Each structure stands twice: as structure tokens, then as C-alpha cells.
Amino acid sequence: MSATEALKNAIRDVADFPKAGIVFKDITPILANAALFRSSIDLLCATSGGQKIDKVVGIDARGFIFASAVADRLGAGFVPVRKKGKLPWKTHQASYSLEYGESIVELHQDAISLGENVLLVDDLLATGGTAAAAVKLLDELGANLIGISFLIELSFLKGREKLTGHPIQSILTY
Ligand code: AMP
């Protein structure tokens, strides 16, 4: 079995969570399995294509789990994009609509220096609203966005269309 097949087999589909009509991709069985978690990080790290990455940016909350491990592996810093009201220092904000709701994300104003090479990582690309909001925040800080990497892409939701102009890579596509 290939590494990606093994990861797909471990993902648990949970119907009607957090609301009716959503099939939630539960990645906790991957996290709980040492070999699968390592392989998910291996595959996400490979999306950097060997380019020097200064900061790996992770999106609240499951994105943090993958992005922080990727940052450590790539010898980069980790930067969180958080939901409104969680970051203590001065922030930039961006609002967006989610597959299941509306939200605002924030980034510390001093989190990234002008021209730093950034890899944006999240667990899942659905409608693309969350990642597009994060990209807007990174653009405001003058980050050099090398790529956007997801463990899972729900391609039927066409999230990629909201992220044009940046290389997008997904490990598992549905
Ligand atoms: P979106 O902004 O629609 O691309 O939504 C992406 C964010 O919502 C990601 O950070 C995911 O963690 C979460 N998300 C959206 N849809 C799902 C789903 N079907 N299963 C698991 N997580 C999801």
C-alpha cells in the first residue's frame, strides 16, 4: 500500500459534523499513529520542493499540528494564523466565510518580515475561504509565499479557485 493510500484509509468520515450535511474528515487517527503522522509530515515537507523556508504558517487549529511539525523538520520558524481574539499582540485581521459559518482570522503584525519565504500549511482545503484570508494577511506583511500545502483537498468544493497565483499542493484529494 502506498503512503497516501495508508493515510486515506486512516481518515474517518463523520457525517453531519459539526452541522447537518457536512462530512467531516477526522484526521485524529493519523495523528495517533506514529508511522502515519510521520508520513503525513514527510509528504507535507516535500511540498517545499527543497526551497529555503523561513516561516511555516499554520491555520487555527488543526493546521497548527501539521505546520509546527513541518516547521521543525524544515528548520523554519512557526507562525500561527488564529481565530479572532486569541493573539495577544497587534494584529492584522481578515474575514471569510467557511464551509460551515463565518469567521475572522488574525496574524501578528510582526510575525513575518518583508520578503521572508513562507509555506502556508493547513489540514484541509474545502471552499478555500480560510486559506484565502490567511493569504491576504501574508500579502499585507509582504511575505514571499512559496506555496500553500494541504493534507486533504475536497476538490469538488473548488477551493483552489480562491487561491489563484500561488502554487497549491494537496497530499490527498477527494
Ligand atoms: P474552507 O475555508 O471552507 O476551505 O475550510 C477549511 C477549514 O475548515 C480547514 O481549516 C478545515 O480544518 C475546516 N474544514 C472545512 N470543511 C471540513 C471538513 N469537511 N472536514 C474537516 N475539516 C473541515
Side-chain angles (χ1 to χ4, degrees), residues 7-14 17 24-33 36-37 40 44 61-66 122-125 150-153 172 174:
L7 290 170
K8 265 198 171 178
N9 285 345
I11 290 168
R12 180 162 52 198
D13 284 355
V14 183
F17 182 88
F24 192 86
K25 297 284 183 199
D26 179 14
I27 47 86
T28 61
I30 292 176
L31 304 179
N33 179 303
L36 291 177
F37 185 43
S40 71
L44 284 168
R62 286 174 299 277
F64 294 168
I65 301 165
F66 295 100
D122 202 4
D123 66 324
L124 185 141
L125 173 62
F150 300 95
L151 181 65
I152 302 166
E153 176 176 355
L172 312 171
Y174 291 86

Side-chain angles (χ1 to χ4, degrees), residues 14 17-18 22-27 59-63 83 96-100 122-132 150 152 154 156-157 159 162-163:
V14 183
F17 182 88
I22 303 289
V23 179
F24 192 86
K25 297 284 183 199
D26 179 14
I27 47 86
I59 303 178
D60 206 341
R62 286 174 299 277
K83 290 183 184 133
Y96 66 101
S97 55
L98 200 67
E99 194 184 1
Y100 42 80
D122 202 4
D123 66 324
L124 185 141
L125 173 62
T127 65
T130 315
F150 300 95
I152 302 166
L154 304 182
F156 52 90
L157 293 172
K162 289 208 185 81
L163 302 171

Side-chain angles (χ1 to χ4, degrees), residues 115-165:
E116 277 191 313
N117 286 352
V118 167
L119 181 69
L120 178 61
V121 172
D122 202 4
D123 66 324
L124 185 141
L125 173 62
T127 65
T130 315
V135 169
K136 199 171 147 223
L137 294 172
L138 293 171
D139 284 347
E140 267 182 83
L141 292 187
N144 180 30
L145 187 54
I146 297 289
I148 313 174
S149 301
F150 300 95
L151 181 65
I152 302 166
E153 176 176 355
L154 304 182
S155 58
F156 52 90
L157 293 172
K158 304 193 189 314
R160 274 178 186 257
E161 292 176 5
K162 289 208 185 81
L163 302 171
T164 49

Side-chain angles (χ1 to χ4, degrees), residues 41 45 56 66-78:
I41 301 304
C45 283
V56 179
F66 295 100
S68 62
V70 169
D72 182 53
R73 196 82 77 74
L74 295 179
F78 167 76

